[in-house]
Amino acid sequence: MGAIFLSASVPTREPYSSDCRPQEIQAAVNALAQVVLGRKKLVWGGHPAITPLLWSAAQAVGVEYTVAVELFQSKLFQKVLPEENKNFANVKLIDAVGEDVEASLLAMRKAMFTSAEFEAAVFIGGMHGILDEHKLFTSYWPNATCIPIAQTGGATVHLARDLNYLPPDDLAPLDFVALLYGGLGIRPSQKREARVDQGGDHGTSSGVL
């Protein structure tokens, strides 16, 4: 079983902020957590508005966040990393490339995409980084499933249009849970590992949650 990559943020600049849909972004992140956490390893690059959402969602489904989610960030941004990161034992800090923002982000993303075997990626909201991450992700994992949730707005709308991605006709427009169960090939009955009530034994029978 492969890992799932998440690319998500709340757009704060034009043109992506003009159709930003914060409620749908939150709903999509919660749906992803409900479907994936404890069943597949979730890998992503972090965002101040999304990190606490994932943390809360992990608690809601009773899964140990620090085992179920792996967060990558560049050391270039250490001074501005979210305060919540201090509580996460799963943050992987990647060396910056001098003071070069783009080169440092590229180094972090390369480290992220070579950290596991990926079977899918989910894109939510976001700005141009969504498009950059999709392009690089698919260069490493061309056969992986990509699910851009266009209802969340931002750059994901453009990505869904570029990919000609349309959700199944039999789903309600905001039924993100059903969309992700079907798109990621996960069963609602599938057992969750890394549960909080397992204490020190996270029940990981393989290298992937």
Side-chain angles (χ1 to χ4, degrees), residues 126-182:
M127 296 190 288
H128 196 78
I130 289 273
L131 308 179
D132 292 338
E133 289 187 338
H134 172 264
K135 183 177 180 179
L136 187 62
F137 176 82
T138 53
S139 73
Y140 280 100
W141 305 101
N143 297 319
T145 297
C146 289
I147 303 177
I149 304 181
Q151 296 93 325
T152 58
T156 299
V157 174
H158 302 270
L159 180 59
R161 187 180 303 129
D162 291 344
L163 297 179
N164 293 317
Y165 178 85
L166 293 172
D169 292 336
D170 59 346
L171 293 182
L174 299 181
D175 191 352
F176 302 141
V177 172
L179 172 68
L180 292 168
Y181 270 128

Side-chain angles (χ1 to χ4, degrees), residues 38-79:
R39 292 168 171 151
K40 304 275 187 179
K41 183 177 182 179
L42 186 66
V43 178
W44 76 308
H47 184 269
I50 305 297
T51 299
L53 287 180
L54 271 180
W55 172 263
S56 298
Q59 291 181 312
V61 297
V63 170
E64 180 59 56
Y65 178 95
T66 56
V67 177
V69 181
E70 191 164 49
L71 172 63
F72 282 75
Q73 304 222 299
S74 172
K75 289 183 180 179
L76 183 64
F77 306 111
Q78 272 186 295
K79 294 181 180 179

